[in-house]
Amino acid sequence: MEFKSQWDENFKKKHLCQTIASFANAEGGWLLVGIEDGTGNYVGIEKQRSDFSQTIAQNIMNP
């Protein structure tokens, strides 16, 4: 399980593919966005113009 408190361009461009690759190497996992790592507190994120699956697919195809 991976917690990410932010869903910004830095994360999408630099860390998203690494996170997904680590899940692939470890028999899968869950990516929880808007949750602080360590505390597990909900911090929320800004509403996106597209859904997460679309954003993830676009970033994987065009890292």
Side-chain angles (χ1 to χ4, degrees):
M1 188 174 300
E2 186 77 24
F3 297 104
K4 297 295 178 190
S5 60
Q6 297 181 1
W7 183 260
D8 56 12
E9 290 303 314
N10 181 50
F11 172 73
K12 289 188 282 186
K13 293 294 180 189
K14 295 184 179 180
H15 302 288
L16 180 60
C17 289
Q18 292 173 348
T19 301
I20 292 171
S22 70
F23 287 157
N25 290 327
E27 299 179 14
W30 290 89
L31 174 61
L32 302 174
V33 180
I35 307 292
E36 284 183 332
D37 193 19
T39 66
N41 292 332
Y42 172 78
V43 294
I45 58 169
E46 269 188 48
K47 184 176 180 180
Q48 303 291 304
R49 297 184 81 184
S50 60
D51 67 15
F52 289 113
S53 61
Q54 182 181 28
T55 302
I56 290 169
Q58 289 173 349
N59 280 280
I60 290 172
M61 290 187 296
N62 302 309

